[in-house]
Amino acid sequence: ETGVTQTPRHLVMGMTNKKSLKCEQHLGHNAMYWYKQSAKKPLELMFVYSLEERVENNSVPSRFSPECPNSSHLFLHLHTLQPEDSALYLCASSQVVRAGYEQYFGPGTRLTVT
Amino acid sequence: GQQVMQIPQYQHVQEGEDFTTYCNSSTTLSNIQWYKQRPGGHPVFLIQLVKSGEVKKQKRLTFQFGEAKKNSSLHITATQTTDVGTYFCAGPRESNYQLIWGAGTKLIIKP
């Protein structure tokens, strides 16, 4: 399954670092999503982009900053994170930004904040 | 607010036994999706149900959507080690942009 790729797969960063997560979809989809997955919690939707326009921001702290330069690429810029931000960050895409369409997930970035 | 609840959180079964997970929504859903996440992996789409009372089968997996379109279930017959993972249900928010996810049911095969 290489429809949605994410890099890096693992990231360890200090609270003062700045890093970026990258996602690329090769499916020709118009919608892209960032999710946070923590242990024992439901998937938390962070951001939704439709045709490069952000259509949803679920009260995510400003230390997370998304960027969508085109419909195939999505970034999540991280700065001054907290230990509780350690989680699996998943990127997903769907044909269009409607919940009736299945989402295709990337392998995720396992983030550890020290 | 709108919620999707999934039970049980974990289920331990012997290989060959059946497994069922239940999904309940606080509101009527236009559709419901099911995903599977293998250990160390990412969610993978299994199926979508749209119609009231709909039943769909994929080999040993049977998916049902309730008559009121507020609940759904996934039943696996004669589990195999390849079935291990966490099964999630997800339904659309009324805004239609987001999926609301259940917390998942983790299927564990006893050694």
Side-chain angles (χ1 to χ4, degrees), chain A residues 1 9 33 35 37 40-43 45 48 55-56 58 88 90 97-108, chain B residues 4 9-10 30-31 33 35 37 40-45 48 88 91-93 95-99 101-104:
Chain A
E1 298 174 15
R9 296 293 305 277
Y33 311 79
Y35 284 93
Q37 187 174 41
K40 299 181 182 180
K41 292 177 73 174
L43 277 167
L45 180 64
V48 181
V55 294
E56 202 71 39
N58 275 353
L88 181 67
L90 291 160
V97 66
R98 289 181 67 85
Y101 287 83
E102 64 197 76
Q103 295 186 8
Y104 293 79
F105 285 81
Chain B
V4 171
Q9 189 176 358
Y10 301 94
S30 58
N31 64 80
Q33 298 180 9
Y35 291 76
Q37 184 172 18
H42 57 275
V44 174
F45 175 81
Q48 176 173 268
F88 295 96
R93 279 194 193 279
S95 67
N96 238 16
Y97 280 164
Q98 302 180 26
L99 283 175
W101 294 78

Side-chain angles (χ1 to χ4, degrees), chain B residues 18-33:
Chain B
D18 293 356
F19 161 86
T20 305
T21 173
Y22 300 91
C23 186
N24 294 292
S25 170
S26 58
T27 61
T28 301
L29 300 172
S30 58
N31 64 80
I32 193 158
Q33 298 180 9

Side-chain angles (χ1 to χ4, degrees), chain B residues 58-76:
Chain B
Q58 290 179 349
K59 297 184 180 178
R60 294 176 295 102
L61 278 62
T62 301
F63 303 85
Q64 292 188 319
F65 201 10
E67 294 289 341
K69 300 182 77 173
K70 294 182 71 173
N71 57 72
S72 182
S73 65
L74 158 59
H75 180 81
I76 303 178

Side-chain angles (χ1 to χ4, degrees), chain A residues 26-40:
Chain A
H26 311 272
L27 300 168
H29 288 168
N30 290 330
M32 296 188 76
Y33 311 79
W34 278 117
Y35 284 93
K36 176 183 178 183
Q37 187 174 41
S38 306
K40 299 181 182 180

Side-chain angles (χ1 to χ4, degrees), chain A residues 32-35 44-50 53-67 74 76-77 97, chain B residues 93 95 97-98:
Chain A
M32 296 188 76
Y33 311 79
W34 278 117
Y35 284 93
E44 299 174 57
L45 180 64
M46 301 174 72
F47 301 104
V48 181
Y49 276 84
S50 172
E53 178 185 349
R54 190 191 309 178
V55 294
E56 202 71 39
N57 175 348
N58 275 353
S59 303
V60 179
S62 60
R63 56 185 183 270
F64 295 91
S65 175
E67 179 189 0
L74 187 63
L76 188 62
H77 304 297
V97 66
Chain B
R93 279 194 193 279
S95 67
Y97 280 164
Q98 302 180 26

Side-chain angles (χ1 to χ4, degrees), chain B residues 34-53:
Chain B
W34 285 93
Y35 291 76
K36 175 184 178 181
Q37 184 172 18
R38 294 180 186 273
H42 57 275
V44 174
F45 175 81
L46 293 177
I47 207 162
Q48 176 173 268
L49 304 172
V50 178
K51 298 176 184 176
S52 169

